[in-house]
Amino acid sequence: MANRETLGLIKGARAGDVACQLALGRVYLFGQGVPQSLPTALHWLSRAAQEDSQEACMLIGMHVPFEVAQPAAKALIPYYAQAFDAGLVQAGLVLAQLVLGNAASTSCETLRAKARLALEAAARADLPDAQWLLSMQTGAGVPPVSGAHGAPEQGREGDTPLYAGLERAWHSGEHGRFLAQGMPLARELLQRQAAAGGRTIALDAQQVLLLSRCAQALAPGGDAEGWQCCELAAHGGDRTAQLELGLGYARMDAHGQRLATRNGAANFKRAVRWLTQAGEQGLAEAWFVLSRIYTKPEFSQRNVVEAHSCLERAADLGHAPAQLECGMHAWRNRRECVNSDVRAAYWLLQAQAQGSSEAEAALLRIAPRGEPGDWGQCAAMPAGEHLRQLGQNHPLLAARLELARWFHLSRAEALLLDIHAADQGHCLLIDISATHGRGKRRLVLIRTAQERQVLDQVVRLFERVDCGVNGPEGNYRQRLYRLKCYLADLDQPQEQQFLAA
């Protein structure tokens, strides 16, 4: 016996309400609360299709087989043709069976040509009935589509004209057309999920992607169907749907801000579950929002350490605001942790490369560039035979002078710098405080490929050399003596000034 809701649909359908006719056809099509009956479903769906319901045509083309449609072939052919035009290859097969299987069904040559095209498309999709009918029409079957190595490739749902049309509509930005063609398929999946009694149904990759895109087009935060599509796609493993579901439960946007448009209390535990799954699939935004959730006082599992861990994972995946925040956090804690300044420069350089003006301003404070007129610029300028002799007699000193010229080092820095410890990949760590009382720790950024090349050459030269006072260069006085001898040999007023320094 039909329930009260079904009786209401029957009453509305009989009164000519298209929405009720469509809903009633779907009820009988899937047996929701009433015995499943394809003829009854076809009756009400065709009534709705008469009123230009595209969804009714799609349901007819997708679910009503040739045997059920044959008695009313003349009336149903336009609906199958419309469904095939929307990209449904199964509807094309039934259209071909209705038109080509009965020569008396129509005398319209245009429709017969369309039916032949539909039959060929269905045969290429590896539908056995289509291949058999085509062989009967032409006397030979259609060969299967060949793969990359000439082997037959099995038909896949993503290769059908329907999904190809949906893909084109989505990438061209025609979301209205995408929803018109894709929502009937999505609603069928939602109905199957509702009938599963709490058990998540199995979906293939194309179905999951369809549900995810329908959710995006419907704005899952404010549309019930969109939210259902988002949930089902998230269970299917779609990372975009998992992110949207997590944001919905957290009542937040992708920037970690509270959304006033989403009413109700946030469910942070569910949000963490879905955002973690999305983050583990490589979505930086998910980790960034998680870092915000873990710092909220109202979250029962508040954890500042976990929040920073999530922030660094977002930064590792290229999230510019997370990189900026990681850089500033490391710089603020530079006195508490060794090499925090080096870490800060690394993250800020990453953020600057993505166009962050705040990161660029912070880098100017953290690692200011030396003045072009620094002593290393003059002392290492080419001086003919003197420079060649210095490179032959004291190659390590020549390398230090070259480093001073490129990175604007002071005299003490150039002579005492530990080359092994200085190279940090993205910057040069200048720290001679252990051997020089007035030395201060500072950073010099490596900004160009040429600077990187010069530093690599110097590092290779010092690979097996002890840079300490017991090494071949000797102590600071010995190194300074060799430098002064070199400058004195140049006999230029500018160099004599540096000798007196």
Side-chain angles (χ1 to χ4, degrees), residues 155-501:
R156 295 169 295 175
E157 192 172 8
D159 295 331
T160 63
L162 172 60
Y163 278 94
L166 289 172
E167 192 76 10
R168 287 193 297 271
W170 179 262
H171 288 295
S172 63
E174 301 176 36
H175 290 178
R177 184 161 68 90
F178 177 87
L179 286 175
Q181 296 178 6
M183 275 310 297
L185 301 174
R187 290 191 180 108
E188 180 194 355
L189 296 174
L190 294 178
Q191 288 160 3
R192 284 171 49 193
Q193 176 60 40
R199 178 180 54 85
T200 303
I201 61 174
L203 301 171
D204 61 32
Q206 289 291 345
Q207 291 170 332
V208 171
L209 184 60
L210 170 69
L211 289 166
S212 176
R213 288 175 172 175
C214 285
Q216 294 174 58
L218 290 171
D223 186 277
E225 275 191 333
W227 183 258
Q228 292 170 2
C229 289
C230 191
E231 280 188 311
L232 194 52
H235 280 288
D238 184 86
R239 64 179 192 171
T240 304
Q242 291 168 345
L243 172 63
E244 288 298 329
L245 201 59
L247 294 176
Y249 280 124
R251 302 293 190 268
M252 299 168 74
D253 61 13
H255 303 291
Q257 302 297 321
R258 169 79 181 190
L259 281 180
T261 56
R262 293 183 177 179
N263 300 322
N267 189 329
F268 289 125
K269 288 186 178 180
R270 287 190 176 182
V272 166
R273 172 196 172 190
W274 290 113
L275 290 171
T276 301
Q277 291 187 39
E280 287 173 348
Q281 292 197 66
L283 278 186
E285 295 87 349
W287 292 119
F288 184 73
V289 176
L290 278 170
S291 72
R292 293 293 185 263
I293 292 176
Y294 275 113
T295 58
K296 287 189 171 294
E298 61 268 32
F299 183 33
S300 61
Q301 299 176 4
R302 184 177 184 271
N303 189 327
V304 177
V305 175
E306 185 65 25
H308 188 69
S309 174
C310 292
L311 189 68
E312 286 201 333
R313 294 187 73 167
D316 281 331
L317 290 171
H319 194 274
Q323 291 168 343
L324 173 63
E325 194 168 330
C326 281
M328 298 309 298
H329 179 271
W331 179 247
R332 287 192 298 269
N333 292 277
R334 62 190 180 278
R335 291 183 176 84
E336 300 174 9
C337 183
V338 179
N339 282 352
S340 277
D341 51 350
V342 176
R343 189 75 172 163
Y346 170 78
W347 287 125
L348 292 172
L349 278 171
Q350 299 292 319
Q352 183 199 30
Q354 297 196 58
S356 172
S357 57
E358 295 177 67
E360 186 174 2
L363 283 171
L364 290 175
R365 298 193 304 271
I366 293 172
R369 187 74 171 176
E371 293 296 330
D374 210 346
W375 81 275
Q377 290 278 53
C378 300
M381 286 177 63
E385 188 63 27
H386 295 286
L387 185 60
R388 284 192 293 273
Q389 290 179 0
L390 179 67
Q392 293 172 0
N393 300 330
H394 303 288
L396 300 181
L397 177 60
R400 288 182 178 277
L401 293 181
E402 181 71 3
L403 211 61
R405 181 171 74 89
W406 279 94
F407 296 100
H408 309 291
L409 307 182
S410 69
R411 185 177 67 186
E413 288 172 344
L415 295 177
L416 293 174
L417 185 65
D418 185 344
I419 305 297
H420 303 300
D423 184 11
Q424 299 295 318
H426 60 284
C427 69
L428 203 62
L429 173 59
I430 313 298
D431 188 3
I432 59 172
S433 56
T435 53
H436 195 273
R438 289 181 294 176
K440 292 184 179 181
R441 179 187 176 106
R442 68 186 184 92
L443 302 179
V444 178
L445 300 179
I446 301 173
R447 294 184 177 272
T448 67
Q450 198 169 7
E451 289 177 346
R452 179 73 260 174
Q453 184 179 6
V454 168
L455 181 57
D456 286 342
Q457 290 173 352
V458 173
V459 169
R460 282 195 296 270
L461 184 63
F462 278 83
E463 272 180 354
R464 299 182 181 179
V465 176
D466 181 5
C467 295
V469 295
N470 297 322
E473 293 181 287
N475 58 28
Y476 180 57
R477 288 181 177 275
Q478 292 170 319
R479 298 178 192 185
L480 184 59
Y481 175 77
R482 281 193 291 271
L483 174 63
K484 287 184 175 182
C485 290
Y486 163 63
L487 295 176
D489 287 343
L490 293 181
D491 195 24
Q492 295 180 9
Q494 210 170 20
E495 278 66 29
Q496 296 300 324
Q497 181 182 353
F498 289 113
L499 283 173

Side-chain angles (χ1 to χ4, degrees), residues 60-74 76-77 80-81 84 89-106 111-123 127-137:
I60 291 172
M62 188 184 308
H63 297 289
V64 180
F66 166 71
E67 295 78 15
V68 179
Q70 188 176 18
K74 189 173 182 179
L76 297 177
I77 283 174
Y80 283 99
F84 172 72
V89 69
Q90 179 64 35
L93 170 59
V94 181
L95 174 65
Q97 289 172 325
L98 293 175
V99 175
L100 302 177
N102 183 7
S105 62
T106 179
L111 186 57
R112 292 183 65 83
K114 174 181 278 191
R116 282 191 289 269
L117 290 175
L119 181 60
E120 292 171 0
L127 296 182
D129 290 343
Q131 292 176 345
W132 178 85
L133 181 56
L134 186 62
S135 66
M136 295 296 292
Q137 293 288 319

